[in-house]
Amino acid sequence: MNIGIFDSGLGGLIITKSLIKAMPQYNFCYLGDTKYVPYGNRSKEVVYDLTKRCIDYLFNEKDCKLIIIACNTATIASLRKLQQEYLPSHYNDRRILGVIIPTLETIIERQYNKIGLFATNGTINSNVYDEELKKLNPNIKLYSQATPLLVPLIENNGDKYTTPIIKDYISNLNKDIEAIILGCTHYPHYKKQIKDEAEKLFNHKVDIISQDEIIPEKTMTYLNNHPEIDACLSKESKHIFELTDITKSYIEQATNMFQHEINIKKIDL
Ligand code: DGL
């Protein structure tokens, strides 16, 4: 059986690339819902329905034992409901993981006191990062900033326009933050630029918490702790990439993200 990785679009390929690097023997099936990207400005109900149909596809058609919802917006809108209501009645023997708790665990492990968060409108408005962090450690201060222009910029090759926008977003954070969480699958693309601009503006070191650096290690730990799941996973190094819509620009972006050509298939969903 396979490990599924789901994202609203192409951003999750960055996490997939680091998962394949860390766990090359495992089989991965990537599904990007490019037909309906972006999810970030949609209602919670619609994001849940869109996510559920992709989860059904990965379980039923791609024989996934475990699915990682790489998309922060989809994790927030659907993970708890899928885990608590949908899995027990439909796929009792399968598992779904998200990206928020592993990210916050990393914040706790690294003992930060003040952190910034960049994410989509959907993620920021949900307050989920604040609520979950309070449960883990109420003393850590989180400064959230919606950064809705970053996904369209990445998807439209808008790198030359990003500097003033990134500077403006950073200037809204508290100047004493020790780190910034990139709470969206797309944002690792701007990792270096966000770090450089934040350090320039605040005049001290600012770490970047990027999910492509966190999820592989957390996934390996999860499989170590759940040998019964790991035992079901095939280790044939097969990597499948599927999108619900394909354009020339998507192929170019996927090639850029992966830094080499990958075989992408369009599926009807
Ligand atoms: N993948 C989404 C996330 O991580 C961002 C892109 C979108 O808005 O669909 O939140």
Side-chain angles (χ1 to χ4, degrees):
M1 296 180 86
N2 303 311
I3 302 178
I5 302 161
F6 166 64
D7 186 36
S8 57
L10 299 174
L13 284 175
I14 303 175
I15 288 180
T16 307
K17 191 178 150 197
S18 50
L19 275 163
I20 291 175
K21 191 168 174 219
M23 304 162 62
Q25 70 278 31
Y26 287 84
N27 292 1
F28 290 101
C29 296
Y30 182 84
L31 177 60
D33 196 10
T34 42
K35 191 165 157 185
Y36 293 105
V37 73
Y39 279 14
N41 294 318
R42 294 184 189 277
S43 70
K44 203 173 165 184
E45 292 73 28
V46 167
V47 173
Y48 177 79
D49 288 343
L50 290 172
T51 302
K52 185 158 79 63
R53 90 190 202 295
C54 293
I55 295 298
D56 281 331
Y57 174 79
L58 286 169
F59 280 149
N60 293 330
E61 307 295 328
K62 305 315 284 182
D63 196 29
C64 290
K65 176 77 181 171
L66 171 72
I67 296 173
I68 299 166
I69 301 185
C71 178
N72 286 257
T73 312
T75 296
I76 283 164
S78 349
L79 183 67
R80 191 161 299 169
K81 199 168 164 195
L82 287 170
Q83 284 175 333
Q84 292 178 356
E85 295 170 24
Y86 196 56
L87 284 194
S89 55
H90 290 77
Y91 307 100
N92 204 15
D93 59 335
R94 317 281 180 106
R95 295 293 176 267
I96 307 179
L97 304 175
V99 286
I100 313 282
I101 300 298
T103 305
L104 292 175
E105 281 171 0
T106 303
I107 297 299
I108 308 287
E109 284 156 21
R110 296 190 192 167
Q111 300 184 337
Y112 294 118
N113 297 303
K114 288 184 177 174
I115 43 169
L117 168 67
F118 278 0
T120 61
N121 284 329
T123 298
I124 298 294
N125 293 340
S126 74
N127 261 334
V128 165
Y129 269 95
D130 297 78
E131 285 163 13
E132 294 298 332
L133 184 60
K134 277 204 183 80
K135 284 185 213 160
L136 294 170
N137 183 340
N139 298 322
I140 301 175
K141 291 241 172 335
L142 181 73
Y143 300 90
S144 300
Q145 172 65 42
T147 49
L149 294 177
L150 296 185
V151 170
L153 280 167
I154 295 165
E155 298 223 328
N156 294 288
N157 297 319
D159 285 1
K160 68 177 174 187
Y161 304 107
T162 54
T163 307
I165 293 169
I166 285 178
K167 272 185 174 169
D168 184 57
Y169 285 150
I170 292 169
S171 69
N172 293 333
L173 297 170
N174 182 290
K175 66 174 178 34
D176 295 326
I177 51 160
E178 299 148 300
I180 299 175
I181 299 173
L182 304 184
C184 171
T185 45
H186 285 61
Y187 299 175
H189 180 76
Y190 291 129
K191 205 186 290 186
K192 186 174 177 321
Q193 202 174 348
I194 293 171
K195 182 176 173 62
D196 289 350
E197 296 295 348
E199 292 187 343
K200 228 191 283 169
L201 191 71
F202 298 141
N203 211 14
H204 60 77
K205 182 169 164 280
V206 179
D207 294 336
I208 300 296
I209 311 300
S210 189
Q211 289 165 339
D212 62 312
E213 294 168 19
I214 293 172
I215 300 304
E217 197 193 314
K218 294 287 180 188
T219 306
M220 289 189 288
T221 306
Y222 176 84
L223 291 177
N224 269 338
N225 293 339
H226 294 87
E228 75 289 359
I229 307 274
D230 191 52
C232 299
L233 294 171
S234 315
K235 281 118 188 156
E236 302 156 332
S237 306
K238 282 192 185 152
H239 309 139
I240 293 168
F241 301 94
E242 295 182 332
L243 301 178
T244 51
D245 187 22
I246 285 198
T247 61
K248 195 167 159 264
S249 146
Y250 283 151
I251 306 259
E252 279 166 15
Q253 286 175 55
T255 308
N256 273 346
M257 283 179 183
F258 239 77
Q259 287 159 354
H260 62 77
E261 231 170 82
I262 53 173
N263 186 10
I264 306 179
K265 194 177 140 210
K266 177 182 178 294
I267 55 144
D268 286 320
L269 212 57

